[in-house]
Amino acid sequence: MSDTIEIASGSTTARLALHGAEPVSWRVGNREYLWSGDPAHWNRHAPWLFPVVGASADASITVDGRAYPMPQHGFARDSRFAPVAQAGDRVQLRLTETPETLARYPFPFRLDITATVAPGRLAFLCEVANTGSGPLPYGLGFHPAFPWPFAGGERRAGGGYAVRFEHPERPAAPEVGPGGLLLRTERPVPLDGDTLPLDPALFTEALVFLNARSRWMRFTAPGGAAILLEAEDFPHLAVWTKPTAPFLSLECWTGHADWAGFAGDLAARDSQRLLAPGATARHAVVLAVEPA
């Protein structure tokens, strides 16, 4: 079996890896809109984050007084998903608990990622199901990156690229401390109303917008073309790159990294969701290319 699955609708195609259910290509016409995964800068394209988002204190989670090792952003991005259903324009991929996941996260679960393409669009339905007998604490996130520049202009301060939000956001973001933990102090963000003019020097760490007012962000080029990320039931947004890396990541999260000093149970982690036994939670993301 191939390690990737391709779906298509007209001249729009997407290719998803079974490793992590990660989209590794999204082409509209002859142009690629996902980051290449060049390991010289960042070896991923658009990973899914589960069952936590961000770093955990001491690189572990605590459940009923016992510590379990937990890598940054969880284990789903490094786990193999199984195909469940496939048609020409869509594919459904599934991850369930295994002995390996139970050694890190002692909960039965089912995570389904269904990807669908339409002209100029790539949409995802994410379903988290609690297949166990007790509450399921989880966090979910999507971390796609896009080439910068993608439509003319330059990757520099004043190069004409910006991120525009649905609504004006607070011009401040939590500082990020050692190990990727969030600090209670904030750094200023040079927002101009709903618009963040892009400058690579801004990104010593991710710009995190907790409990954002907006549900969509547009990565806009100087000529007016844009890449849209629209999120449903992902309350936190983030914008990230590395100062010298030719990509920009727009992220949406249900949860976030631990606050520095947190030492409680996973279920008490700030913004972690609790899903009742037998329940299913649904989250959705749409990516779209908007021409000038």
Side-chain angles (χ1 to χ4, degrees):
M1 177 185 293
S2 172
D3 284 336
T4 61
I5 293 175
E6 184 166 307
I7 54 178
S9 176
S11 63
T12 299
T13 64
R15 190 158 43 87
L16 287 91
L18 298 183
H19 184 87
E22 181 177 7
V24 297
S25 175
W26 174 39
R27 298 184 67 87
V28 179
N30 295 320
R31 178 165 292 178
E32 176 63 64
Y33 283 94
L34 279 186
W35 163 243
S36 67
D38 180 353
H41 297 288
W42 188 50
N43 65 348
R44 301 183 189 267
H45 308 263
W48 293 100
L49 319 178
F50 178 89
V52 299
V53 175
S56 299
D58 298 322
S60 66
I61 59 172
T62 300
V63 179
D64 295 333
R66 177 180 169 183
Y68 295 82
M70 181 60 67
Q72 184 178 26
H73 292 321
F75 51 72
R77 63 181 184 168
D78 293 315
S79 299
R80 189 176 180 86
F81 283 63
V84 174
Q86 184 178 357
D89 64 348
R90 71 190 61 203
V91 63
Q92 181 181 359
L93 303 174
R94 176 172 293 171
L95 180 67
T96 57
E97 78 278 0
T98 65
E100 291 75 18
T101 70
L102 290 170
R104 295 180 171 184
Y105 178 67
F107 301 97
F109 69 90
R110 184 175 68 248
L111 171 61
D112 284 350
I113 306 290
T114 302
T116 305
V117 288
R121 293 164 62 89
L122 176 57
F124 301 93
L125 174 64
C126 312
E127 297 178 292
V128 180
N130 182 354
T131 58
S133 58
L136 179 75
Y138 79 92
L140 178 70
F142 189 38
H143 192 334
F146 312 99
W148 178 16
F150 68 87
E154 298 181 50
R155 189 187 185 277
R156 60 174 178 83
Y161 278 85
V163 173
R164 183 184 171 200
F165 295 85
E166 178 186 13
H167 302 291
E169 297 294 342
R170 286 186 65 244
E175 292 189 300
V176 180
L181 302 181
L182 296 185
L183 304 180
R184 296 291 181 177
T185 53
E186 293 186 321
R187 56 179 291 199
V189 177
L191 275 165
D192 181 7
D194 61 3
T195 300
L196 175 67
L198 288 173
D199 176 353
L202 288 173
F203 295 99
T204 53
E205 296 288 353
L207 301 179
V208 178
F209 299 90
L210 298 180
N211 298 305
R213 295 179 61 211
S214 301
R215 291 298 167 260
W216 56 254
M217 301 180 279
R218 282 186 169 91
F219 177 25
T220 61
I227 298 171
L228 168 76
L229 180 147
E230 185 172 5
E232 180 181 328
D233 201 14
F234 287 93
H236 313 302
L237 302 177
V239 182
W240 174 76
T241 186
K242 299 179 178 181
T244 61
F247 67 80
L248 186 79
S249 181
L250 303 180
E251 306 180 43
C252 55
W253 309 337
T254 68
H256 56 72
D258 274 341
W259 296 103
F262 177 74
D265 193 272
L266 177 63
R269 181 170 173 162
D270 196 7
S271 84
Q272 199 82 354
R273 300 286 179 92
L274 281 179
L275 193 60
T280 299
R282 292 173 176 84
H283 309 268
V285 186
V286 174
L287 303 179
V289 173
E290 299 180 338

